[in-house]
């Protein structure tokens, strides 16, 4: 396999709504991103992925697309997009856009025609979506076709009186699922994809890719996820896109497949696959769920972080793709809590240290890294006080579920504060002026109260800040070709250490880290010939090889080859 440009890319994910407001409406926009390209370049980023920028009623912040060919008025115009893209390209930065193919908004013209029997194009568009007739109980009461549960917590079915049918929506009810078995629908989507390729984008992140196919027998089940996740036929659809559109255009394609099984990895992103170049699955992202919590169950149940599971997951995906495909590296994205609050520690005492530890343990590994905006300054979960502080559509259905399960308001709020996606969507903290320098006016969602101390301006000025640590590690990735590095996990089953041996171009590296909030004594690792390269703690301790590790203490040693 010859080297591809995207193998050594350093990707930065931007949640457009929250990155930088340029026109004073409290909402981030494309011109805002454009004004920060130099910052990204200085950080060492050469590729950005932006969350959906299309016209949308914003039920799910743009993942509900109303018009694929139009830029959301919140974010600018198509001309703004063109200028933003050209400016990024001039600076050597590539741009990946989000491709939402599983569903549209219920305000998309296709759906407006589909749901209305009197619409002149009803015949054509009805079959672009997925419909089922009601069921009736013994008393003649209307029932859902099945008891499947949507990813946002409620039923997947919504009744449409004019056709006396239910439509399927595996996310919010304003996001009806498309029928991928319909060829005309696929052709329409392909024309749209081609249009963005012709406009010059460098790649796509394919949203919710493993949900494109459904079980058309509609068996009853609850929650029934297996009927709309990872069904084999979705690979056929992805391959069709890959062969016709992705491969011929030298694009970077990152597929999102939340339920990707390990067996499927190479099918998605092996060198001889025609689907994606890289995959994001979430195996390492929720290794701290308490299975016994019945009040706020599943991902909402905060438990103990299983460090060995994270290491095994990283190792598994690295091994599986070795010489056969390509790996991605990321701690989290816009669907999870902030990593420093989630797996690190966001108290004043340990914030900086644990954020750096998380950087050391991830960014020397092989593959293509995706840094999530604000991660590079250690942005934390947000101090939301009231339910009305939240913006995410998912929060409101889940809150109701928690209360129904018997949780008190306080317990429900704490689960949201710990785990809600909104934690990772607050405005970027640029400086300590009003609204964190994100906007001149009150932003669309609350700025995190810690912005006076956690912000870009402050960290730029501090040589050893989290920001400068990221800069250093991202530079190191390039200098040492770490994208292609060999790695060994040392003592992988240890529940507290996160130790690696990484072989770069000119140096060998050993990363030693305490992933937890308690000190412990590490088994000595052979460091003969190694020197301290980086530490988040006292340099002397690292130099003298003190084996007692303080909470979150982490070190990188290196030795010339
Ligand atoms: C996955 C996206 O990452 C998430 O934010 C969104 O809500 C769903 N797909 C639906 O598009």
């Amino acid at each position: 396999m010859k080297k591809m440009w995207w193998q050594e890319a350093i990707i930065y994910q931007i949640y457009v709504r929250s990155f930088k407001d340029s026109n004073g409406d409290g909402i981030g926009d494309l011109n805002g991103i454009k004004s920060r390209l130099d910052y990204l370049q200085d950080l060492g980023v050469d590729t950005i992925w932006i969350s959906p920028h299309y016209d949308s009623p914003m039920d799910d912040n743009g993942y509900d697309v109303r018009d694929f060919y139009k830029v959301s008025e919140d974010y600018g115009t198509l001309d703004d997009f063109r200028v933003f893209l050209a400016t990024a390209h001039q600076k050597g930065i590539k741009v990946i856009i989000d491709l939402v193919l599983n569903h549209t908004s219920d305000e998309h013209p296709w759906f407006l025609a589909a749901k209305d029997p009197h619409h002149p194009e009803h015949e054509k568009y009805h079959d672009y979506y997925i419909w089922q007739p009601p069921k009736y109980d013994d008393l003649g009461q209307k029932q859902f076709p099945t008891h499947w549960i949507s990813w946002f917590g409620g039923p997947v079915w919504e009744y449409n009186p004019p056709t006396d049918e239910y439509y399927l929506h595996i996310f919010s009810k304003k996001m009806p699922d498309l029928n991928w078995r319909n060829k005309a629908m696929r052709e329409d989507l392909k024309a749209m994809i081609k249009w963005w390729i012709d406009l010059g984008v460098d790649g796509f992140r394919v949203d919710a890719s493993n949900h494109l196919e459904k079980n058309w027998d509609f068996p009853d089940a609850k929650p029934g996820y297996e009927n709309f996740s990872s069904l084999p036929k979705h690979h056929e659809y992805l391959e069709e896109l890959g062969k016709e559109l992705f491969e011929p255009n030298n694009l970077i394609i990152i597929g999102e497949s939340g339920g990707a099984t390990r067996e499927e990895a190479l099918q998605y992103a092996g060198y001889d696959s025609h689907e994606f170049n890289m995959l994001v699955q979430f195996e390492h992202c929720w290794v701290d769920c308490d299975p016994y919590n019945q009040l706020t169950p599943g991902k909402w149940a905060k438990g103990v972080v299983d460090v060995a599971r994270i290491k095994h997951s990283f190792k598994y995906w690295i091994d599986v793709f070795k010489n056969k495909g390509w790996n991605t590296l990321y701690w989290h994205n816009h669907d999870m809590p902030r990593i420093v609050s989630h797996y690190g520690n966001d108290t004043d005492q340990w914030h900086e240290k644990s954020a750096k530890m998380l950087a050391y343990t991830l960014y020397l590994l092989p593959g293509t890294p995706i840094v999530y905006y604000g991660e590079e300054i250690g942005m934390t979960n947000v101090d939301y006080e009231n339910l009305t502080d939240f913006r995410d559509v998912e929060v409101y259905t889940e809150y109701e579920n928690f209360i129904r399960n018997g949780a008190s308001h306080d317990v429900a709020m704490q689960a949201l504060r710990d785990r809600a996606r909104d934690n990772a969507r607050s405005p970027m903290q640029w400086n300590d002026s009003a609204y964190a320098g994100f906007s001149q006016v009150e932003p669309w969602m609350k700025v995190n109260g810690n912005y006076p101390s956690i912000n870009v301006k402050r960290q730029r000025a501090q040589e050893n800040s989290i920001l400068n640590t990221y800069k250093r590690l991202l530079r190191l990735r390039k200098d040492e070709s770490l994208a292609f590095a060999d790695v060994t996990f040392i003592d992988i089953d240890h529940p507290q250490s996160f130790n690696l041996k990484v072989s770069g171009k000119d140096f060998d590296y050993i990363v030693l880290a305490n992933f937890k909030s308690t000190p412990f004594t590490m088994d000595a690792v052979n460091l003969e010939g190694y020197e301290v390269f980086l530490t988040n703690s006292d340099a002397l301790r690292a130099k003298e090889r003190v084996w007692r590790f303080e909470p979150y203490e982490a070190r990188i040693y290196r030795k010339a080859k």
Side-chain angles (χ1 to χ4, degrees):
M1 165 87 184
K2 73 172 180 6
K3 275 195 190 174
M4 302 298 285
W5 67 266
W6 38 259
Q7 292 180 306
E8 290 199 88
I10 301 222
I11 303 176
Y12 186 91
Q13 184 196 344
I14 295 180
Y15 205 65
V16 181
R17 235 177 153 65
S18 293
F19 194 60
K20 176 68 190 155
D21 172 21
S22 75
N23 63 347
D25 63 358
I27 300 173
D29 48 47
L30 295 172
N31 284 332
I33 304 176
K34 191 177 72 179
S35 73
R36 289 297 187 269
L37 290 172
D38 288 341
Y39 165 76
L40 296 174
Q41 205 172 30
D42 184 55
L43 178 61
V45 167
D46 53 29
T47 307
I48 54 183
W49 147 28
I50 59 169
S51 59
H53 62 288
Y54 313 96
D55 175 53
S56 161
M58 298 290 168
D59 187 55
D60 188 21
N61 293 338
Y63 283 98
D64 47 323
V65 180
R66 183 166 46 200
D67 185 346
F68 288 106
Y69 293 90
K70 195 174 163 212
V71 170
S72 161
E73 282 172 13
D74 287 345
Y75 302 154
T77 62
L78 194 57
D79 274 341
D80 292 336
F81 185 90
R82 286 202 173 93
V83 176
F84 152 67
L85 188 65
T87 314
H89 284 168
Q90 273 158 20
K91 292 179 189 292
I93 296 179
K94 303 208 191 263
V95 176
I96 300 172
I97 61 173
D98 225 304
L99 199 54
V100 190
L101 303 177
N102 177 70
H103 43 266
T104 64
S105 161
D106 65 342
E107 298 180 30
H108 191 287
W110 298 344
F111 191 72
L112 296 181
K115 71 173 193 180
D116 175 5
H118 304 299
H119 191 286
E121 294 193 286
H122 175 72
E123 282 295 302
K124 174 174 179 195
Y125 291 113
H126 181 260
D127 193 43
Y128 273 35
Y129 296 88
I130 300 172
W131 303 92
Q132 279 293 286
K135 283 189 175 159
Y136 290 92
D137 65 12
D138 296 345
L139 300 171
Q141 298 289 327
K142 221 186 279 322
Q143 302 290 313
F144 292 127
T146 67
H147 291 89
W148 301 355
I149 299 293
S150 94
W151 294 112
F152 292 166
V156 298
W157 299 106
E158 184 69 16
Y159 185 58
N160 180 51
T163 58
D164 187 28
E165 290 168 307
Y166 286 90
Y167 65 86
L168 182 89
H169 62 88
I170 67 167
F171 295 97
S172 94
K173 66 178 180 204
K174 283 188 66 63
M175 298 155 81
D177 279 55
L178 287 163
N179 171 11
W180 271 76
R181 292 194 173 188
N182 182 309
K183 187 157 182 341
M185 192 287 293
R186 293 205 304 277
E187 293 305 320
D188 277 349
L189 282 182
K190 284 192 276 186
M192 177 275 289
I193 297 170
K194 175 84 173 38
W195 190 83
W196 285 103
I197 295 173
D198 291 344
L199 210 109
V201 301
D202 301 289
F204 300 103
R205 175 263 189 189
V206 185
D207 183 64
S209 75
N210 60 316
H211 301 301
L212 301 185
E213 175 64 357
K214 318 292 191 278
N215 182 349
W216 283 78
D217 293 335
F218 301 105
D220 198 12
K222 193 174 180 183
Y225 301 140
E226 66 284 3
N227 296 298
F228 47 89
S229 308
S230 303
L231 290 159
K233 201 172 166 64
H234 82 279
H235 289 291
E236 286 175 30
Y237 304 138
L238 295 175
E239 198 170 286
E240 182 176 327
L241 299 181
K243 285 187 171 159
E244 292 179 32
L245 293 160
F246 301 157
E247 285 181 347
N249 290 291
N250 189 28
L251 301 170
I252 175 173
I253 306 297
I254 308 173
E256 183 206 30
S257 176
T261 60
R262 293 172 162 207
E263 291 70 34
E264 278 180 307
L266 294 173
Q267 200 173 349
Y268 278 121
Y271 287 143
D272 54 4
S273 144
H274 302 288
E275 301 180 18
F276 307 139
N277 307 120
M278 300 174 213
L279 182 69
V280 288
Q281 40 71 38
F282 303 112
E283 199 184 68
H284 66 278
C285 296
W286 295 103
V287 300
D288 63 339
C289 297
D290 171 4
Y292 302 106
N293 182 335
Q294 305 291 324
L295 298 178
T296 62
K299 75 168 185 180
W300 302 96
K302 186 175 172 177
V304 177
V305 179
D306 185 339
V307 180
R309 251 178 85 190
I310 302 176
K311 290 181 282 184
H312 275 290
S313 176
F314 283 174
K315 179 171 168 12
Y316 180 85
W317 292 95
I318 290 169
D319 287 350
V320 112
F321 285 127
K322 196 169 170 135
N323 300 322
K324 294 197 185 126
W326 199 247
N327 187 42
T328 43
L329 301 170
Y330 47 91
W331 272 127
H332 74 121
N333 65 17
H334 61 289
D335 292 332
M336 290 132 209
R338 284 279 174 191
I339 195 62
V340 71
S341 305
H342 193 189
Y343 287 175
N345 187 323
D346 61 13
T347 58
D348 286 350
Q349 188 177 10
W350 302 119
H351 170 256
E352 182 173 334
K353 212 168 232 185
S354 65
K356 289 179 184 170
M357 180 279 289
L358 289 164
Y360 291 10
T361 48
L362 185 70
Y363 290 110
L364 269 71
L365 295 174
T368 297
I370 309 176
V371 180
Y372 185 59
Y373 89 93
E375 179 194 325
E376 76 276 20
I377 54 168
M379 275 176 64
T380 68
N381 280 359
V382 188
D383 42 358
Y384 296 121
E385 280 164 36
N386 305 310
L387 197 56
T388 50
D389 288 337
F390 290 91
R391 294 286 172 272
D392 186 1
V393 53
E394 177 191 52
V395 159
Y396 295 94
T397 37
E398 294 292 9
Y399 176 84
E400 295 297 323
N401 289 341
F402 301 156
I403 299 295
R404 212 172 300 124
N405 294 343
S408 65
H409 171 75
D410 287 352
V411 166
M413 282 299 292
Q414 193 53 46
L416 297 176
R417 235 178 260 126
D418 287 337
R419 318 290 267 190
R421 310 192 296 180
D422 275 343
N423 281 302
R425 300 175 176 186
S426 64
M428 177 71 177
Q429 294 166 210
W430 293 105
N431 56 45
D432 60 2
S433 67
Y435 309 123
F438 162 75
S439 175
Q440 302 292 326
V441 301
E442 189 172 345
W444 73 283
M445 88 185 300
K446 207 176 145 182
V447 178
N448 195 321
N450 59 23
Y451 76 88
S453 58
I454 301 176
N455 64 61
V456 170
K457 186 172 173 215
R458 187 152 182 219
Q459 294 196 21
R460 268 194 153 161
Q462 297 165 342
E463 199 190 327
N464 285 321
S465 61
I466 305 168
L467 178 63
N468 282 322
T469 300
Y470 267 76
K471 252 175 97 166
R472 212 159 159 190
L473 293 177
L474 297 181
R475 175 84 253 155
L476 184 75
R477 290 194 70 77
K478 294 268 179 181
D479 291 349
E480 282 284 65
S481 295
L482 294 180
F484 301 97
D486 277 325
V487 60
T488 314
F489 286 78
I490 305 169
D491 204 1
I492 192 164
D493 289 315
H494 195 282
Q496 185 154 2
S497 72
F498 201 118
N499 296 350
L500 308 165
K501 185 164 181 196
V502 180
S503 164
K505 186 158 64 69
D506 298 325
F507 290 86
D508 285 327
Y509 295 83
I510 288 184
V511 180
L512 303 177
N514 177 2
F515 213 90
K516 296 272 176 170
S517 61
T518 46
F520 86 109
T521 302
M522 199 179 275
D523 287 344
V525 174
N526 182 1
L527 289 172
E528 213 183 304
Y530 281 82
E531 293 188 346
V532 182
F533 174 64
L534 214 54
T535 171
N536 67 357
S537 191
D538 179 5
L540 203 61
R541 293 168 56 79
K543 196 158 171 238
E544 290 179 350
R545 289 139 167 63
V546 175
W547 291 106
R548 177 117 186 124
F549 272 62
E550 298 296 340
Y552 305 109
E553 181 170 358
R555 309 169 190 166
I556 305 178
Y557 293 91
R558 78 172 176 184
K559 178 169 92 170
K561 289 205 173 203

